[in-house]
Structures are given as C-alpha cells and as structure tokens.
Amino acid sequence: MKKSLLVLLLTLITSITLYASDVILSNTLGAYYCAQEPNPKTYIKHTVEEPISIYWEDNVYPGFDEADSKLMVSNYLDGVHLQTMALNTHDGKVKVYSYAHVPQGYIDLVKEGYAATKEAQKKHALFEDAWNKYRVKEWTKAEFDVVAKDYGQANNERESLTKQIEAAKTQLTLVITETTKDQMPQTNYTVKIEEIHFSELAHKVIYSDEVKITDNRTKEVVAYNRRIMQLYSATLMPDLAIGNRYYYPEPMCGEVGYMEIDRKVFLVPGFAGMKHLQFDENRLYQKYVKKATK
C-alpha cells in the first residue's frame, strides 16, 4: 500500500515538474520570438472601402472546404464593394465566386446600407463617449438620453437595411468557377495566411501564423499580422471548460484571430459580422486535434 502511494506521489511530482517546465519554456520562447523581426507584429498601412476583388489563400488549414466557403461568401461577398472572391481549396485548386447580373436596385440598397452602417458606427462612438461622461456624472441623464436615442435610431436603421440586403441577396445568382492559381483571374488584393515554423522544441509549446495582405496592382503589402500563441498544454490555464481549443486565446503578440486583420483593412460592412476568432479556432482544432485522434 505504501509502495503504491509512493509510486503515485512520484508520478504526480514528475507530471507537475514536466508541466511547469513546459509553461516556463512556452513563456521564454514566446517572449524571444515576439522580440524578433518583423516588428511590430501587426501593422496596417491603409484601409480599403471598395476592394472589388480579393483572393484568400489559406495555407494553414490548408484551403477552404465547402462549409468554410459558404461562410466566407455569406459574410464577405456583397456584389458591390466586393464583387469577386477567390478561395484556395483542399485539393490545390481555386474557386472563384461572383454574382451574375446584379440589379441596380440591389446596388443602391447596399450603398444605402453601407452609409447607414458608417453613420451608426459614428453615433456609437458618440454614445460611448456620452455614457462615460454620464457614468462619472459629467452629464445629466437627460443629456445622455438624447445621444442614446440618436444612436438607437441610427442602429435600428442599420439593422433594418441589413435585413433588406440579406433578403435581396438570396435572390441573386451565385456563380462558382473552379480553376487553378495560375489560371485564376487577377484580383486587386491577396490575403495570404501561412503557418510559421519554429524549432522542433518551440513547436511543442507555441504556435504561430502570419497574414499578409498585398495590393496586387502595386505589389505593396498594405497590412501584416504575425501572432504567437501558447499551446493550451503549455499554459497555467488548461482548457477544462471548452475542451477543444488548440491554443490559449490571448496571443503573446500579434492580433487575436488570424483572419481578424482583414476585417480592419477592408471596410465592407458585412466583414464585421463574421465570428473570426471562433472561425479560426474551429479550423485549427479540426486540423491539429481531430487528425491526431484518428
């Protein structure tokens, strides 16, 4: 009995020691790689309101499956600001998405919705400022209520137009063309997503990827993001509640989601509706965890 207890105790001590060493190692290597070039890890040179055409090349997952593609089309392709979307697929090909014969009435509706979204965003900023002033008693409730009502009306208008656009969008004809990267039509922008490979030791405790957005007409990199993440197996906060995260959600450096940067570059209203972080995590979970358990 005493021998069994001793074995259990030694096993527990060994496990704790190994776990602690991984935590220390992940923090040390993470800090080291965060300090390396390129620095800063995230930058945006300028934003784009009408990209017209974008090619997404995801080499992390890699490629977009059918479910991913539907989500991308739903959240990005509006037929006005973004008229053509191209996505690389699992089999090494490229699928190009566009809408055929977009009516002028739909175009006008999208533009009206875009203007309403920008107005609601402006009113939201005023609302937050007013709330902060009211909270510290710099403003009266009556003063705050005026701004809150104004924002509420602007947001209601935005939501109403969003629903109208979504309904009108279902009446459009989506055209899907399968091609290859060397044969695909030229797009104005490319969003390229790559995994960053560190040493074998570092790979056991940290994960990294980068997103680079390039203007294909000028060859200028208009935005860049490299994030470094601790694996959950090498953190002080194991993923007991969710159970399917590949990495700890807060990056050691860089933006949170590896597709978050494009939402900040391409200022198309639909982009903000996508749950980027959950999209990232689900795809990485499928790649690394599910395959490992087969």
Side-chain angles (χ1 to χ4, degrees):
M1 186 71 176
K2 290 183 178 180
K3 185 177 180 181
S4 298
L5 184 60
L6 180 60
V7 170
L8 179 62
L9 184 60
L10 289 173
T11 302
L12 182 61
I13 292 172
T14 301
S15 299
I16 292 173
T17 303
L18 291 174
Y19 176 66
S21 65
D22 278 354
V23 173
I24 294 170
L25 183 62
S26 67
N27 279 280
T28 302
L29 290 175
Y32 170 77
Y33 285 114
C34 280
Q36 304 306 302
E37 294 295 335
N39 268 314
K41 298 300 179 202
T42 302
Y43 65 83
I44 297 174
K45 288 188 176 180
H46 61 80
T47 56
V48 181
E49 291 195 10
E50 295 190 11
I52 304 300
S53 57
I54 306 173
Y55 167 53
W56 274 269
E57 181 175 303
D58 187 344
N59 294 318
V60 171
Y61 188 57
F64 294 82
D65 61 19
E66 187 175 347
D68 295 336
S69 299
K70 285 182 179 179
L71 189 60
M72 293 289 286
V73 169
S74 174
N75 286 277
Y76 287 72
L77 191 67
D78 68 357
V80 181
H81 301 90
L82 183 61
Q83 300 171 11
T84 302
M85 165 191 291
L87 305 172
N88 71 320
T89 62
H90 289 203
D91 57 5
K93 295 181 180 179
V94 172
K95 284 188 177 180
V96 182
Y97 301 82
S98 62
Y99 291 114
H101 313 299
V102 179
Q104 186 61 47
Y106 171 80
I107 294 173
D108 294 340
L109 183 62
V110 169
K111 289 183 176 180
E112 186 181 358
Y114 188 33
T117 297
K118 293 183 73 174
E119 183 65 17
Q121 290 171 342
K122 187 190 305 181
K123 296 288 178 65
H124 181 258
L126 294 174
F127 169 78
E128 287 191 327
D129 181 61
W131 167 249
N132 288 331
K133 289 178 179 177
Y134 171 62
R135 185 169 52 84
V136 297
K137 303 188 184 308
E138 289 183 9
W139 275 25
T140 65
K141 187 177 185 301
E143 289 175 312
F144 169 73
D145 285 345
V146 170
V147 178
K149 182 179 179 181
D150 195 30
Y151 166 60
Q153 291 174 341
N155 195 50
N156 288 338
E157 176 69 12
R158 179 194 64 79
E159 289 180 349
S160 175
L161 285 167
T162 297
K163 290 178 181 178
Q164 293 178 55
I165 292 168
E166 289 175 350
K169 193 175 176 181
T170 63
Q171 304 303 310
L172 301 179
T173 301
L174 180 65
V175 178
I176 306 174
T177 304
E178 187 173 87
T179 182
T180 59
K181 186 177 178 180
D182 58 336
Q183 295 294 321
M184 65 175 281
Q186 178 73 18
T187 58
N188 290 342
Y189 296 89
T190 292
V191 180
K192 193 170 185 179
I193 307 160
E194 302 276 4
E195 183 174 352
I196 303 301
H197 296 283
F198 297 132
S199 67
E200 185 176 345
L201 178 63
H203 184 69
K204 294 178 179 179
V205 292
I206 59 175
Y207 166 81
S208 180
D209 51 39
E210 70 174 23
V211 180
K212 189 181 294 183
I213 301 179
T214 305
D215 186 329
N216 295 326
R217 298 159 298 182
T218 64
K219 307 304 179 187
E220 178 189 25
V221 176
V222 299
Y224 178 86
N225 179 55
R226 178 179 290 190
R227 63 175 184 169
I228 295 176
M229 320 286 289
Q230 286 177 287
L231 301 195
Y232 246 119
S233 58
T235 68
L236 288 171
M237 297 181 66
D239 184 23
L240 300 177
I242 299 175
N244 66 349
R245 291 185 187 270
Y246 175 62
Y247 49 76
Y248 186 66
E250 291 299 323
M252 303 186 79
C253 55
E255 287 282 348
V256 175
Y258 74 73
M259 295 188 69
E260 184 74 7
I261 194 74
D262 56 8
R263 181 182 63 82
K264 295 183 177 181
V265 174
F266 303 115
L267 303 180
V268 178
F271 284 28
M274 191 171 187
K275 296 180 180 179
H276 292 265
L277 178 59
Q278 191 61 46
F279 184 59
D280 293 348
E281 295 209 359
N282 286 346
R283 300 179 88 229
L284 282 175
Y285 172 62
Q286 291 173 39
K287 175 179 179 178
Y288 289 98
V289 181
K290 286 190 175 180
K291 288 183 178 180
T293 57
K294 287 183 178 180

